[in-house]
Amino acid sequence: MRILLLCLILGLMLGSVLAGPRGPAFAGGIEDFHLKAGAAMKHVRLAQFYLRTGNLAVAGAELDQATENWAAVTAAFGAKPPGKLAGDSGFGADLTAIGGALDAALAAVDRDERDAAAARLKPVAGRLAALRKRNGLWIYSDCIAAMNRAMDAAWVYRRKPPDFGDPAQVAEMDKRLAALQHWYTRCYREAGPRERANPAFKRLFPGSLESVASLLRAAKDRSALRVINNLRELRSFDRLIWLYLG
């Protein structure tokens, strides 16, 4: 399983590099902001992934790229926030805080402090998402984040499936799995041309949707073992979708 997962990760990395960014970018506009910020966040996620695996050298390289890309965001928009963001009094503070967190994480990696670096990176995506939310903005990564949260809510059954003889526990599980199905389906449908052209989307979403369907069947059949096994499979898809499309 680990070898297959590693092969999938390497294939997606190569495909993402070859695909490159696609779609129109409006210089100085809100779409340009999303693209530039997204480019930085892609390297943040990769850094988080490599920190979890203990590969600090590669995590540091990803953080180097993240800080460089975020500096481009600050240079382009720090003095002139785009679109709706122009009226946000906290915009500049958010840009500064995110840049500071990336610098601090990189410094921690240079000191071989993996946990400290991970802690610095943990709130970065949430801060950027909060900036969008309070300004009424919704982009594809927000859908993926909601999907990941639904996965987290269902993951509790990986270790402790519900008592299928307890209607309340079964109803709670069914509610969480329905939310999981909703967000996987929605994120698949919300994907635009740029996301659909990404090799990661093409390789991961079909399998993840099949996994969701299998999980729902296992829950309907009240099979604890199949629920556990399907959750494990879906968790792998969920992490990879976050890594490459979040």
Side-chain angles (χ1 to χ4, degrees):
M1 175 64 75
R2 290 184 178 179
I3 294 175
L4 290 175
L5 186 59
L6 179 60
C7 290
L8 180 57
I9 290 172
L10 293 174
L12 290 171
M13 285 181 175
L14 178 59
S16 295
V17 170
L18 294 176
R22 301 189 183 195
F26 303 97
I30 193 70
E31 292 298 326
D32 193 23
F33 171 77
H34 292 324
L35 285 173
K36 284 185 167 63
M41 291 307 300
K42 177 184 72 174
H43 293 289
V44 170
R45 293 192 301 276
L46 286 166
Q48 290 175 305
F49 169 78
Y50 285 114
L51 285 172
R52 281 199 295 268
T53 64
N55 194 330
L56 269 68
V58 181
E62 293 295 342
L63 281 172
D64 273 328
Q65 190 62 57
T67 55
E68 182 179 328
N69 286 5
W70 194 256
V73 173
T74 302
F77 304 104
K80 190 177 180 181
K84 291 182 177 182
L85 302 178
D88 188 333
S89 60
F91 178 78
D94 283 337
L95 261 61
T96 299
I98 291 172
L102 298 182
D103 289 339
L106 183 56
V109 167
D110 289 341
R111 297 191 300 269
D112 291 331
E113 297 175 356
R114 181 177 69 171
D115 291 344
R120 290 289 189 174
L121 292 180
K122 187 175 181 179
V124 168
R127 184 153 194 161
L128 187 57
L131 167 65
R132 291 192 297 266
K133 184 176 181 179
R134 70 173 182 259
N135 288 284
L137 298 171
W138 174 271
I139 64 173
Y140 193 62
S141 65
D142 295 315
C143 192
I144 296 298
M147 189 188 82
N148 296 151
R149 289 191 295 271
M151 180 71 239
D152 290 341
W155 186 242
V156 298
Y157 300 117
R158 163 66 181 87
R159 297 291 181 187
K160 190 177 180 181
D163 177 358
F164 288 113
D166 184 338
Q169 290 189 35
V170 171
E172 178 62 24
M173 181 193 69
D174 288 345
K175 182 175 73 173
R176 295 187 186 203
L177 297 189
L180 188 65
Q181 180 186 38
H182 164 79
W183 283 110
Y184 265 88
T185 302
R186 177 170 172 175
C187 292
Y188 177 76
R189 291 175 177 171
E190 277 195 12
R194 185 182 302 111
E195 289 80 26
R196 291 181 182 276
N198 190 319
F201 183 91
K202 297 176 181 178
R203 296 186 191 186
L204 295 174
F205 256 104
S208 67
L209 291 172
E210 290 179 8
S211 186
V212 169
S214 296
L215 175 60
L216 292 175
R217 286 194 296 270
K220 184 177 180 180
D221 293 340
R222 306 308 187 222
S223 171
L225 180 59
R226 285 166 53 205
V227 165
I228 290 171
N229 288 338
N230 279 288
L231 280 171
R232 291 175 61 188
E233 179 182 69
L234 186 58
R235 185 68 156 185
S236 296
F237 279 117
D238 193 74
R239 286 174 171 169
L240 288 171
I241 289 173
W242 164 80
L243 184 61
Y244 293 104
L245 297 166

